[in-house]
Amino acid sequence: DIVMTQSPDSLAVSLGERATINCKSSQSVFFSSNNRNYLAWYQQKPGQPPKVLIYWASTRESGVPDRFSGSGSGTDFTLTISSLQAEDVAVYYCHQYYNYPYTFGQGTKLEIQ
Amino acid sequence: EVQLVESGGGLVQPGGSLRLSCAASGFTFSSSWMHWVRQGPGKGLVWVSRISTDGTITTYADFVKGRFTISRDNAKNTLFLQMDSLRAEDTAVYYCARASTTLDDWGQGTLVTVSS
C-alpha cells in the first residue's frame, strides 16, 4: 500500500497570510505514460463530506478559489493557500489514486491564528 | 447537479449485518465507477471499496475483504454495500463517492455504529 504522510498535523495561520501543507507518498504516484501525478487534495469542514480542491496534483477543481494551488511531482507535494480566509478553516487531506487500495494522508487541521 | 444520498446506517451488534444504499441522481450513474469511503469518529478518511460501471469489477480494502460486498443496480441508480460480520472498528460514517477523475462527488454519509 502507498502510505501518504502529511505535515504538519495542524497549522495556525493569520488571516491573509500563506498556508502551506505538505504531503509525501511512500512511492511515486507519477504515471509516465500520461505524464500525470495521481494526487488530489480535499477540504473537509466539520459535519460535511470532503470536497475535492485539486487533482492531477495541480489542477484546480471548477469553482475552487484561485488562492488554492497544488504543486509537486513523484513523491512530494504541496497545497498552498496564498491568502488565508476565515472560510478556509478545515481539515485538508491528500489522496493518491495511482493504485489500489486508494490511500489518504492523515489530515492537516488548519486554524486561524 | 450531482446528488448522492446514503441511507441504511444505524446501531448494530458485533457480528451483525447492515446494508447501506446510495441513491444517485444528476449524472449518468451507469457510466460512473463508484466507491465507498469511511471515516471513524474523529479520524481520517479510509477507502473501502469500488465497483465498475457494470458491476463486474469490484475491489476491496483488505480489512473488509470477505465481510463486505459492493454492488449496484443501474436501473435504479443505486449503489449498495452489504456489511456482514461487523466489528466495533467498523464504526464510522460511510460515504459513497462518484469517480470521474478522482473521487469527485461525495454524499453526506451515513453513520454505522457497531456496539453491544
Side-chain angles (χ1 to χ4, degrees):
Chain A
D1 298 4
I2 298 177
V3 177
M4 308 298 289
T5 304
Q6 291 180 226
S7 60
D9 290 334
S10 62
L11 181 62
V13 174
S14 301
L15 289 172
E17 296 299 304
R18 177 185 300 260
T20 301
I21 300 170
N22 299 300
C23 175
K24 189 174 185 67
S25 57
S26 61
Q27 65 187 73
S28 176
V29 298
F30 178 73
F31 195 36
S32 56
S33 66
N34 61 4
N35 202 37
R36 291 190 184 276
N37 288 282
Y38 284 63
L39 188 285
W41 289 96
Y42 295 87
Q43 176 193 65
Q44 187 178 32
K45 297 181 178 180
Q48 295 186 19
K51 169 190 170 185
V52 61
L53 298 175
I54 304 285
Y55 56 94
W56 300 136
S58 61
T59 302
R60 198 179 304 114
E61 175 77 343
S62 175
V64 172
D66 61 7
R67 64 180 179 272
F68 291 91
S69 63
S71 63
S73 184
T75 61
D76 292 278
F77 301 92
T78 300
L79 174 70
T80 301
I81 307 172
S82 60
S83 176
L84 189 71
Q85 305 299 303
E87 60 265 32
D88 301 335
V89 169
V91 179
Y92 293 83
Y93 295 93
C94 62
H95 161 60
Q96 68 81 17
Y97 49 106
Y98 180 82
N99 66 11
Y100 288 94
Y102 281 179
T103 49
F104 297 84
Q106 79 276 18
T108 295
K109 186 175 184 179
L110 177 59
E111 299 173 311
I112 304 295
Q113 190 167 59
Chain B
E1 179 195 3
V2 172
Q3 281 208 316
L4 297 166
V5 180
E6 300 93 339
S7 60
L11 175 63
V12 62
Q13 292 190 339
S17 299
L18 275 179
R19 190 191 197 203
L20 306 185
S21 299
C22 170
S25 61
F27 65 100
T28 306
F29 180 74
S30 59
S31 298
S32 295
W33 287 65
M34 298 295 295
H35 296 246
W36 289 98
V37 177
R38 74 185 189 186
Q39 186 169 36
K43 300 293 179 67
L45 302 167
V46 179
W47 178 82
V48 174
S49 183
R50 67 148 180 179
I51 188 168
S52 62
T53 56
D54 62 0
T56 57
I57 300 171
T58 58
T59 311
Y60 298 92
D62 283 348
F63 56 84
V64 303
K65 211 170 286 185
R67 300 189 300 124
F68 290 11
T69 304
I70 190 172
S71 61
R72 64 191 299 160
D73 184 338
N74 285 344
K76 295 183 178 178
N77 289 347
T78 304
L79 174 73
F80 301 102
L81 186 67
Q82 176 67 40
M83 304 187 297
D84 299 318
S85 303
L86 282 162
R87 306 166 180 166
E89 54 265 35
D90 295 319
T91 294
V93 173
Y94 285 75
Y95 296 101
C96 64
R98 179 183 77 99
S100 176
T101 305
T102 179
L103 300 174
D104 298 80
D105 298 286
W106 298 59
Q108 289 295 316
T110 187
L111 176 62
V112 172
T113 303
V114 184
S115 174
S116 54

